[in-house]
Amino acid sequence: MVDQAAEAAPLTARRAGALAGRARVPGDKSISHRSLILGALAVGETRIAGLLEGEDVINTGRAMQALGATVERTGEGAWRVMGVGVGGFAQPAAPLDFGNSGTGCRLVMGAVAGCPIEAVFDGDMSLRKRPMRRILDPLEKMGARASAAADGGRLPVTLRGAVDPIPIEYEAPVPSAQLKSAVLLAGLAAPGTTVLIEKEATRDHTEKMLKHFGASLRITTIGGHGRRIVLQGQPELEPAPVTVPADPSSAAFPLVAALIVPGSEIVLEGMMINPLRSGLLATLREMGASIEVVAQRNEGGEDVADLRVKAGALKGVEVPPERAPAMIDEYPILAVAAAFAEGETRMRGLKELRVKESDRLEATAAMLRVNGVAVEIDGDDLIVRGKGRAPGGGLVATHMDHRIAMSALVMGLGSEQPVGVDDAGIIATSFPGFVELMRSLGADLSS
Ligand code: S3P
């Protein structure tokens, strides 16, 4: 059994003065996981700068170590990985514990599937509820064998990697960067070409970083939004330095806070603006948000920007389903912005939200409802009827979901009555220092 968070840490957000100042949120979670995994699959030393030192990523680092790589912290956000090469993982002595992290667990499943070893994958009570079949299906086609204790391939799962991995052509049945990445990482160990087709493009960090580490990939667009990715198997990955840009999914919280707390003006520094992660920015701009790019540059292969964000009136909009992959983690905080907008916001095509760290569709609706906001779930759509203000006064159940916790606290900064969360401890999985950063901008958060 995996240890659960020791004690719940309730926290309350209250309306105070305007937010002001500059802030840089921690490193991107997706890129941080991948830098440790690709570093472990390269031969030699990879240096990482700006790694997100949240619990999710630390667990991936521990897993890489348990599989034979050397992972060392050399300074704040600075890490060194000595990799063992593609197919070179050693049999771990104990179950791999991924805590709250679907990304860590699913990507490492892919990397292990191409090695002739057996590993047990486990996580916390939230991760144990999440579907793993979607990952195990293609990995079994590639020659791995999985046995799960529960239905739907839920954790704990024992995975036996393939002795002779088989390259496959696979069309992803759901838009998921984790699924895509698992297949590509397993494909590294297979001879010939592994082909992954996605009908809707999802975040492309694995593809970009594989190229950065010397793998050969050919990517073509298909249909309006899809991609076909062809990976040449059995490359020798070369260590490559990684600079991790600021996480747009974390920046979303101070950003929306600055939009809804009257009189606020803040600058968010170095935020990654990869188009496949920027759906929230597009949507907020359509709602009338004042978000100005004050500087733009390239950091470690990704475009990043300093953004000036000013509070102001927002209006309800319709968010099309095809935008979901580019903002899949941002719906809870968008729903908060929608509550403070005038008019209806309909967010369409949110089926995948049901299998996040919580059933995020239900948890987001419940967060708004308990704070007096009119909200409805209609099939896979979330409808928020904004009134330009939110009553607040509710205690929000976070269901071990960091993004619900942070969204609820941001809501409390702008609502008429305080908003509490039952457990803010879970925020450390993705955004250590959230409370301090928000306080540095003037937020009133207290236990
Ligand atoms: C991630 C992919 C997304 C996202 C998660 C991070 C990744 O999950 O929700 O926070 O780093 O690949 P899905 O692949 O399940 O959509």
Side-chain angles (χ1 to χ4, degrees), residues 13 15 339-340 367-373 389-396 408 411-420:
R15 198 164 173 171
F340 287 86
M367 166 184 78
L368 296 182
R369 205 173 289 126
V370 77
N371 286 295
V373 175
R389 46 171 277 274
L395 175 64
V396 173
M411 182 171 193
L413 299 177
S415 54
E416 285 149 16
Q417 299 299 319
V419 172

Side-chain angles (χ1 to χ4, degrees), residues 152-348:
R154 293 195 160 62
L155 299 186
V157 162
T158 303
L159 189 68
R160 170 159 284 282
V163 177
D164 294 309
I166 306 158
I168 58 169
E169 171 159 337
Y170 193 71
E171 180 168 322
V174 284
S176 164
Q178 294 175 4
L179 167 56
K180 165 174 68 179
S181 303
V183 172
L184 293 175
L185 291 173
L188 283 175
T193 54
T194 291
V195 181
L196 187 286
I197 296 161
E198 49 180 7
K199 279 174 274 183
E200 293 171 68
T202 61
R203 64 191 69 193
D204 56 359
H205 307 304
T206 299
E207 299 90 299
K208 282 179 143 177
M209 292 178 74
L210 276 170
K211 282 186 184 165
H212 183 59
F213 279 78
S216 158
L217 285 92
R218 258 182 307 115
I219 302 168
T220 46
T221 50
I222 47 166
H225 310 280
R227 290 190 182 183
R228 177 186 166 88
I229 302 154
V230 181
L231 169 75
Q232 190 60 48
Q234 299 185 329
E236 173 137 329
L237 293 186
E238 288 154 20
V242 179
T243 302
V244 185
D247 192 331
S249 299
S250 296
F253 301 105
L255 195 160
V256 169
L259 292 175
I260 64 170
V261 177
S264 298
E265 179 173 334
I266 66 167
V267 173
L268 291 168
E269 294 173 350
M271 188 182 117
M272 177 166 60
I273 50 168
N274 178 319
L276 291 168
R277 297 287 300 279
S278 296
L280 179 72
L281 280 187
T283 305
L284 290 172
R285 285 188 170 125
E286 287 168 10
M287 294 171 84
S290 167
I291 304 169
E292 186 197 340
V293 174
V294 287
Q296 194 171 325
R297 56 196 173 276
N298 192 279
E299 263 179 26
E302 291 286 356
D303 288 333
V304 304
D306 297 342
L307 301 178
R308 179 176 292 121
V309 186
K310 284 189 205 166
L314 300 174
K315 62 173 193 301
V317 292
E318 172 146 339
V319 189
E322 60 274 13
R323 195 177 289 166
M327 56 177 297
I328 195 64
D329 292 334
E330 278 66 79
Y331 286 101
I333 193 63
L334 175 64
V336 170
F340 287 86
E342 287 285 354
E344 180 176 298
T345 293
R346 181 183 271 261
M347 301 163 225
R348 294 163 65 93

Side-chain angles (χ1 to χ4, degrees), residues 29-30 34 103 106 175-178 203 328-329 356 403:
K29 184 153 71 72
S30 294
R34 287 160 172 80
T103 308
R106 289 168 169 154
S176 164
Q178 294 175 4
R203 64 191 69 193
I328 195 64
D329 292 334
K356 294 296 175 188
R403 300 202 198 279

